[in-house]
Every structure is written in structure tokens, then in C-alpha cells.
Amino acid sequence: MKIALDAMGGDFAPQAAVDGAVLAAQQLAGKARIVLIGQEDAVRPLLEKHGAAAAELELVPASQIIEMGEHPAKAYQQKQDSSIAVGYRMLHTGEVEAFCSAGNTGAMLVGAMFSVKPVPGVMRPAIANFVPKLHGGLGILLDVGANAECKPEMLEQFGELGSLYAQYVLGIDKPKVGLMNLGEEEGKGTSITQAAHQLLKVNPHIHFIGNIEGRDLFNDKADVIVCDGYTGNVMLKMAESIYDIMADKKMQDPFFDKFNYEAVGGSPILGINDNAIIGHGVSTPLAICNMLLQGYQMAHSGISDQIKNTFKS
Amino acid sequence: MKIALDAMGGDFAPQAAVDGAVLAAQQLAGKARIVLIGQEDAVRPLLEKHGAAAAELELVPASQIIEMGEHPAKAYQQKQDSSIAVGYRMLHTGEVEAFCSAGNTGAMLVGAMFSVKPVPGVMRPAIANFVPKLHGGLGILLDVGANAECKPEMLEQFGELGSLYAQYVLGIDKPKVGLMNLGEEEGKGTSITQAAHQLLKVNPHIHFIGNIEGRDLFNDKADVIVCDGYTGNVMLKMAESIYDIMADKKMQDPFFDKFNYEAVGGSPILGINDNAIIGHGVSTPLAICNMLLQGYQMAHSGISDQIKNTFKS
């Protein structure tokens, strides 16, 4: 099995990408190979510094870079030899089974939509993120930004996508799906969440436990937290800022330490035909390594086939 | 000046209400009198236990109670001698200059809408809440639940209402107004936030600084944070849960301690003709006391007149 990494993506690329890839290659030895995609001149010397360990990695050349500030769709179209475009091409042809990048988020989404494409039946793929649970384990929160505005049917599908991920990748049996809302009662919320509640309630593929509130993000009420991308994005960035404030204050705690994005590594795009993960722009080698391990877990679990099978019917 | 308190509102009423009112009366001595509204049989004995201090408070009888679980509009209509209905009547007639309750939030909103009524020109009043800022002071976040769904024009007005509160009650000169969004760029967000951005940008009454993100809630980018009631409610409850988790873990920090709702006391309803504040259901005497002090500050500042003048034009 091969897992690809955009060696040019992220604020500290290619250094952090190469270092993270080497770390991941050690942990995945015998199970998967890491494929670095990027400018050979820049990546090769960094890789060689790692000596023998570097021999475990492959390097696939890509001459162009989509910068962080570039217009995603334009850049993706114009830079067909960018590391992101090459990565998606390899993913699409099956040369690699997962593609990870800490680069331009919008370009990663564009590639997902136009190269590997949404699974038939999925209205709109979602970006998922993970929240640490007080009593251990992770919950999955989606959407966190791919779709600012959502129809009720999209929220229903996010419940299904998140539930499949929780089951097959996180290993949660019969994951509890909750709808983020401003009250627990069924009639609460916007017209969108009210309608989504009714759809989720009768969906046979999931275990819907009803509305949850902002205070339930970290408790055990729900394993899968469904919301529109606007709300999910606000919650995610708020949680990140709390971690940053605590880190500045040198406050340490085993639970709050898990708010650190490095611990998980990346945000999978769910509902597309292959496994793609978007990393944080400031990704460190540890974050890159964890993103690659997550890519391996996704590929190993067969999550994208599970999604295809569920939405085929 | 008189500030009224619903003595029967909140999970620990009337005990917490009476104790909190006595605390506040001591701090407001010579400036304002506290008026307790509730069942005489229940409140009088509790008040008498405070001895001489109790002489500073008035007690206005109200025979009925709107319970926490009751349907707000029905209960408000049917229980015209409830402490909430009596409180709003006194507010409307000018017998008191502010009314505070930790009781049924919905009934407090109903009373605000049907008794004292929205200020002419205000489309929909909002419930505001306060967020501690890392570098000191408070920010104001609105709406936090009165309006799950908002039109762009409502969000624009929330910016004006919050700005007036920040200026006249919090004492912030030229408050910075930010629109909660999933990205800083002008074109980001839902169709609602995009349209609201354009309205806020050209509003001559406020100092709009553009979009802010979930990570900016606690920093100095904006003093006034504008969002729909669904998003505000999710953020507020998430912040509360973080305080609760830290309290459980006995983690202490001067900044995070300010997440404690007790420190501010209550959430003002902005955009109505008088000063009304909704307290947390679990309000302690300290929270009740701070809510009453906030009621005094609102009345003293003349905020509701400022709002009327702004929206008259």
C-alpha cells in the first residue's frame, strides 16, 4: 500500500513534510510506503540527510507549487504539474491509496471534487475534524468548512458519512449521531436543523440520538456531531484558540492537550471516491506524521468502499 | 432608582434570589433599591433572616410562578400574576428601571416582546452575552439564542445594538464590531453573512472591522461579535462547558475563571424599550447579585434611550 504526501504543502514545507514523512515511514514499515510528491531539487537533499531511513520513501517529481494564497480553482487548473494535482492524479489512478497535504485547503477541495470526484449519491462531500472526548477516544465533527450553507439532506448525509468513519476508522460500534442545535427539544433550531432532525430520525443507517448543544461537544452524548460548515468551522477554530491560549499560559492537562491539532494530523474529506486528508497550514513533522498514519488507517479500513456501498442503495 | 428581581426564578429560587438581592442591595445602597417580586409567604421569611439588611429591600407580591419547563407564551398569558408578568408590568409602567430574572428564558423573551415591546425600528431584539478578553475587559456577543435564524438586516442591527451597549454600559470608546464567519475574506461565509457584511460595512453608526473567526472570540480584534442566535448559542454553551471541565479538573487561571457565568450575572435583551436581563437557571447568590448590578449599570447608563434615539432616525 502507498500513501502519498504533498511535500510542498504547509508553511514549513518541504522541511516539515520530509521530516514527518520519515517518521511515518518508520512506523508504517512493512505495512505501507510513503510517496513524497514535490520539487526534486528541494526535497531530495532534505531526504538524503535522513540517511538510510530515506531509502524507505519514494519521491515523485512535481515541478509546480500551489501557494497558500492562490485562488484554489484557478491554481488547480493552471498548475497541472503542482504537487496537489499530481497527488490527486496518482490517487485517481490507484497508484496511491491515500493523499495527504498541509497545503492550500481550497485546492485540496477542488482536486477532490474534480479529480477523484464525489461518491455517486453524495450531494456534497464534507471536511471532518476530530474532538477529544472527556472520557477518552475521539468524536467526529462535520462539516467544518467545505459547505458554509447546507440543505437538510446534506446534514443527513453528513450523519451517515461521519457514522461510517466512526465505525470503520475510529472503531466505534454503533456510533451515536447528534445534531448540533441550540436546544435539545426536537422543534428547536433553524428551519434547516428542524428539517434535518426529521430526516436523521428516520435514517435507517445511523443511530441518531437527537439534538445536542454546544456544551456536548466533549462529553459522551454523541460520537458523530453533525452541523453545517459555518458552525463547525467556528467551533473548531474556537477550540484551537483555547488550546493556544492554554499553551501560551503553559497550562497542561491530558485532556486539553488533545485539542492540539498535531495529535490527529488532518481533516479527511468524506464522501469522495478516495482517501484525501487536509492538514493544518502550520503542520509540524509530528502533525504530518500523524496525518500519514491517519491516511494509512483510512486506506486500511476500506472506508471509501464502505461509503460507496452505503450510498449506492 | 429601583431594580426589580424575580424572586421565584432559577433552580435555587427563592433562596438564591433573596441572598443575591441582599448582597446587591448592600453594594447599591444610596444608588438604587432592589424590589423582590414573588410569593410573599415564601420570600418574607427568607428576607427576615437577613435582619436589618432586609429593610433595604422591597417586596412586591406575585402569587404565581412560571416554571422552567412551561410553554413560555402560554404560561405568560395565563399567569398574569406570575413574578415575570408582574415584573414586566412594573418595568413597563416605570415603577422599576430594570427587571432581572433567572427564570424561564422563553417567558422572559415573551414578556419583553409583548409587554415592554421592541424599540420602533428594531426588527428583532437579541439576547447578548459577554466574553472575557485575554487582555482584559469584556466583549459582547449577540445574538445568543433569541433568533436562531437571522436576516442580514437583523445581523446589521445586532452590530448597532451591541456597539451601543459596549459604548454606554461597558465604557468602550469606538467599539470594534466583527462579524463571526468562517474566514476573514469579505466573500466568505453563507449568503446571509455575505449580505450582512455588506450592510455592516456601510453602516455609519458603527466601527465595523470585518469578518472574524472562531479563534478571535477572546482576542482584541472585536469588542462586539455579531452572529445569528444559533451560532452564538453554540459558542456560548461550548465556552461554558470548557469552564465546567476546567472547574471539575480544579484547573485555575485568572482568564479562564472569567468564563464563569457568575462573574457577569446575566444576558440583557437588547432592542426593547426597557432594561431586562435573563439570568442562568442555576444562578447562585453571586450570579444574582451581579445580574442586579448589571441591571443598575444598564439603567444608570441610559442605554435603552440611546438605542431608541439611534433607531428613531
Side-chain angles (χ1 to χ4, degrees):
Chain A
M1 181 186 298
K2 290 185 182 179
I3 311 295
L5 175 70
D6 170 9
M8 315 312 284
D11 298 344
F12 309 120
Q15 181 77 60
V18 171
D19 294 348
V22 170
L23 276 175
Q26 288 162 353
Q27 296 192 43
L28 293 175
K31 294 191 280 192
R33 271 177 89 82
I34 306 292
V35 179
L36 284 164
I37 303 170
Q39 292 175 335
E40 208 163 357
D41 295 354
V43 178
R44 180 77 65 199
L46 296 173
L47 203 49
E48 280 169 359
K49 281 192 197 154
H50 285 280
E56 298 301 315
L57 289 90
E58 290 178 27
L59 174 54
V60 169
S63 65
Q64 294 170 304
I65 300 173
I66 297 179
E67 304 290 348
M68 288 308 221
E70 281 193 87
H71 187 280
K74 264 191 221 161
Y76 190 84
Q77 232 170 351
Q78 288 166 1
K79 295 184 169 176
Q80 278 298 305
D81 199 40
S82 63
S83 47
I84 290 180
V86 171
Y88 271 119
R89 228 157 31 230
M90 293 181 74
L91 189 61
H92 186 52
T93 57
E95 290 166 81
V96 298
E97 292 188 53
F99 176 49
C100 305
S101 172
N104 187 310
T105 299
M108 279 297 286
L109 262 180
V110 168
M113 298 300 283
F114 295 101
S115 173
V116 300
K117 294 198 174 68
V119 164
V122 170
M123 297 171 71
R124 292 291 298 268
I127 302 178
N129 215 291
F130 303 94
V131 287
K133 291 291 189 179
L134 256 174
H135 299 118
L138 292 173
I140 178 168
L141 170 70
L142 73 171
D143 179 25
V144 297
N147 312 282
E149 231 151 329
C150 291
K151 292 180 185 167
E153 293 77 11
M154 287 164 64
L155 294 176
E156 181 193 10
Q157 291 195 339
F158 296 169
E160 292 184 80
L161 292 169
S163 189
L164 289 166
Y165 192 98
Q167 200 177 338
Y168 291 99
V169 187
L170 302 180
I172 299 170
D173 188 41
K174 213 182 169 198
K176 291 169 284 184
V177 177
L179 176 65
M180 185 53 65
N181 214 328
L182 49 58
E184 289 180 347
E185 302 86 347
E186 197 171 314
K188 288 271 181 173
T190 63
S191 53
I192 302 284
T193 58
Q194 285 169 14
H197 185 109
Q198 297 307 317
L199 296 172
L200 286 159
K201 204 168 71 168
V202 296
N203 186 303
H205 298 121
I206 58 167
H207 174 42
F208 182 57
I209 54 103
N211 292 337
I212 58 170
E213 300 177 88
R215 67 169 62 101
D216 300 317
L217 199 58
F218 307 113
N219 67 25
D220 289 336
K221 275 200 186 164
D223 304 300
V224 180
I225 297 139
V226 172
C227 61
D228 61 79
Y230 170 89
T231 308
N233 191 276
V234 168
M235 282 193 285
L236 173 65
K237 286 179 180 161
M238 189 174 147
E240 282 182 0
S241 78
I242 285 167
Y243 174 78
D244 289 343
I245 292 169
M246 292 180 75
D248 275 351
K249 289 173 170 287
K250 310 218 184 305
M251 293 170 77
Q252 287 203 321
D253 174 84
F255 169 69
F256 285 106
D257 288 349
K258 292 181 199 151
F259 278 45
N260 186 354
Y261 78 95
E262 287 180 298
V264 176
S267 300
I269 305 174
L270 296 185
I272 55 172
N273 283 307
D274 289 286
N275 304 308
I277 304 180
I278 305 171
H280 206 296
V282 296
S283 283
T284 59
L286 175 63
I288 296 282
C289 171
N290 282 327
M291 174 160 64
L292 289 165
L293 299 181
Q294 186 192 350
Y296 167 75
Q297 280 165 358
M298 283 181 72
H300 182 71
S301 71
I303 176 69
S304 55
D305 284 336
Q306 295 295 348
I307 291 174
K308 279 175 228 171
N309 289 338
T310 301
F311 282 89
K312 200 164 55 185
S313 50
Chain B
M1 182 187 296
K2 291 185 182 179
I3 311 294
L5 174 70
D6 170 8
M8 316 311 286
D11 299 345
F12 309 121
Q15 181 77 61
V18 170
D19 293 350
V22 170
L23 277 175
Q26 287 162 354
Q27 295 191 43
L28 292 175
K31 293 191 280 192
R33 270 177 89 82
I34 306 292
V35 177
L36 284 163
I37 303 170
Q39 293 175 333
E40 210 162 354
D41 295 355
V43 178
R44 181 77 66 197
L46 296 172
L47 203 50
E48 281 170 358
K49 282 192 195 153
H50 285 281
E56 297 302 313
L57 290 91
E58 290 177 28
L59 174 54
V60 169
S63 63
Q64 294 171 303
I65 300 173
I66 298 179
E67 304 290 348
M68 288 307 222
E70 283 192 85
H71 187 281
K74 263 190 223 162
Y76 190 84
Q77 232 170 352
Q78 288 165 0
K79 294 185 169 175
Q80 277 299 306
D81 200 40
S82 64
S83 46
I84 291 181
V86 171
Y88 270 119
R89 231 158 28 229
M90 293 180 74
L91 190 60
H92 185 53
T93 57
E95 290 167 83
V96 298
E97 292 187 54
F99 176 48
C100 305
S101 172
N104 187 309
T105 298
M108 279 297 286
L109 263 180
V110 168
M113 298 300 282
F114 294 101
S115 173
V116 301
K117 295 197 172 67
V119 165
V122 171
M123 297 172 72
R124 294 289 299 267
I127 301 177
N129 215 292
F130 303 93
V131 288
K133 290 292 188 178
L134 256 174
H135 299 118
L138 292 173
I140 178 167
L141 169 71
L142 72 171
D143 180 26
V144 298
N147 313 282
E149 231 151 330
C150 291
K151 294 182 184 162
E153 292 78 9
M154 287 164 64
L155 294 176
E156 181 193 11
Q157 291 196 339
F158 296 169
E160 292 185 79
L161 292 170
S163 189
L164 288 166
Y165 193 99
Q167 201 176 336
Y168 291 99
V169 188
L170 301 181
I172 300 170
D173 188 41
K174 213 182 168 198
K176 292 169 284 183
V177 177
L179 176 65
M180 185 53 65
N181 214 328
L182 49 58
E184 289 180 347
E185 303 85 348
E186 196 171 314
K188 289 271 180 171
T190 63
S191 54
I192 301 284
T193 59
Q194 285 169 14
H197 186 109
Q198 297 306 319
L199 295 172
L200 286 160
K201 205 168 70 167
V202 296
N203 186 304
H205 299 121
I206 59 168
H207 175 41
F208 183 56
I209 54 102
N211 292 337
I212 57 170
E213 300 177 87
R215 69 168 61 102
D216 300 317
L217 200 56
F218 307 113
N219 66 24
D220 289 336
K221 275 199 187 162
D223 304 300
V224 179
I225 297 138
V226 172
C227 61
D228 61 79
Y230 170 89
T231 308
N233 191 274
V234 167
M235 282 193 283
L236 174 65
K237 286 178 180 162
M238 189 174 148
E240 281 182 0
S241 78
I242 284 166
Y243 174 79
D244 289 343
I245 293 169
M246 293 181 76
D248 275 352
K249 289 174 169 286
K250 310 218 183 307
M251 293 170 76
Q252 287 204 320
D253 175 83
F255 169 68
F256 285 105
D257 289 348
K258 291 182 201 151
F259 278 46
N260 186 353
Y261 77 94
E262 288 180 297
V264 176
S267 301
I269 306 174
L270 296 185
I272 55 172
N273 283 306
D274 290 287
N275 304 308
I277 305 180
I278 305 172
H280 207 295
V282 297
S283 283
T284 58
L286 176 62
I288 295 282
C289 171
N290 282 327
M291 174 160 63
L292 288 165
L293 298 182
Q294 187 192 348
Y296 168 75
Q297 279 165 358
M298 284 180 73
H300 182 70
S301 71
I303 176 70
S304 55
D305 284 334
Q306 296 294 348
I307 292 174
K308 279 175 230 174
N309 289 337
T310 301
F311 283 89
K312 201 165 56 187
S313 51

